[in-house]
Amino acid sequence: MNAPTPVDEAGPDRIAGPDVVDLGAERRATGIDDYLAGLDARLVGLTPVKQRIDEIAALLLVDRVRTRVGLATGPPTLHMSFTGNPGTGKTTVASAMGEILHRLGYLRSARVVSVTRDDLVGEYIGHTAPKTKDVLQRAAGGVLFIDEAYYLYRPENERDYGQEAIEILLQVMEEQRDDLVVILAGYADRMERFFGSNPGFRSRVAHHIDFPDFDDGELVRIGEMLLADQQYRLSDDARATLFDYVGRRRSQPHFANARSVRNALDRARLRQANRHVTAGTVAVDDLSVIEADDLAVSRVFNDRPDDARESR
Amino acid sequence: MRLTQGMFSFLPDLTDDEIAAQVDYFIRNGWAVSIEHTDDPHPRNTYWEMWGQPMFDLGSTRPFMTALAECREAMQSAYIRVTAFDATKGWESPRASFIAHRPTAEDGFALARTSVQGRTQRYGIRADVTDRPTAGRYR
């Protein structure tokens, strides 16, 4: 329907009979490099994820060129599963994926529709199919991100409506795979069980991407970037304290990687504000500095991990 | 007799690609697209039956084209039209509507004369097809 138009930089001789295709020029024409560079700077760590994104970008680029020169190309299956612990960037990468696939010309829009079980599965008989179809209509042409996908399947209740949603999803994933990319996300072990009991999903999902945990240094860098977005910064002492905090927090229950860091920093901002208000006056520069004391009062440093439920 | 209602009705029937292109335009304008069908093509019959629910917030034309294909399959001998509804305040009305499918043999309309009050004649039209019971319409 919308045939790719020849690109100016590629030179006029290619239309006559191309022997060599300049993939670099093709790539520049999509404008994907700027976006990926921005993403690379924004996403700390996540090396295997970035590598897979690069591979997908390369595949789609080659497919475009193959179509142009008249070689056979089937639409690649791009459904993905993102597995990893909480706070490892699954949702962030999913929303970037819409933009990437759109720029590479695979998807009609960069829209990412993010849903959970509640958005797909109905409450009574006959409610599920319209609900699921409605979501699929909205997501068509873009990315459908299903967070904690394993909740769709409830083996303990054989009359659970989740199965109906799964069947509709599987059908659409097959029929409209050039128009819709489904990304399933969740914790690794439960996703593994989910795929084990739904082989249809496993075979339709081409890319299984595992999100590794961040190490302490990466988490501190993420923290600093989060603060920079809000025009805050850490003092040198505070950076060391945050490093220490991350190391301790990791060994406590309910550790959620970047999300734990974000929560800790939110609380540090509270304490910083309180400290300044108590003091009465504040230097304008200090308004944006988080000091070590703002972090050090956290309960994580109490050495009593047993009562640190969600650390304060 | 070829039914001429809505947009494009004096043009040759739109192909699927052309229909998809129109729907794509509707979506880009943020209009809700719906599919309706009827076996009574009288021009004053504005209330056609809905095929499924109106599609609000469509992401692409694909789900729409799938639904249209299903409707054609089930309603081969009916008229099917596509309507785009604009919910924007101040409009709140259909912005576009065209026939996307018609029966292979289209019956025409008859001129119906009624005598009222002595020699006065009232004229109306009625679709030939509605003279037949519902089950026998559109062989």
Side-chain angles (χ1 to χ4, degrees), chain A residues 1 108-109 111 130 133-134 136-142 175-179, chain B residues 17 20-21 24 27-28 53-64 66:
Chain A
M1 207 158 60
R108 183 180 175 279
S109 72
R111 170 147 73 166
K133 280 183 180 156
D134 190 55
L136 288 168
Q137 275 172 19
R138 261 193 300 142
E175 285 174 0
Q176 301 184 11
R177 69 198 145 102
D178 55 341
D179 190 51
Chain B
D17 280 351
D24 188 62
I27 295 172
R28 273 187 282 122
Q53 290 162 359
M55 300 181 194
F56 302 98
D57 212 9
L58 261 180
S60 84
T61 59
R62 281 291 288 278
F64 173 86
T66 311

Side-chain angles (χ1 to χ4, degrees), chain A residues 44-46 212-222 243 246-247 250 255 257-258 261:
Chain A
V44 176
L46 295 179
D213 281 351
F214 296 111
D215 65 31
D216 294 357
E218 287 170 347
L219 284 174
V220 172
R221 258 175 48 225
I222 291 171
F243 195 81
V246 167
R250 185 185 294 280
F255 174 65
N257 283 287
V261 171

Side-chain angles (χ1 to χ4, degrees), chain B residues 94-107:
Chain B
R95 291 288 291 267
S97 176
F98 63 89
I99 293 177
H101 174 83
R102 37 181 91 237
T104 36
E106 295 188 74
D107 289 309

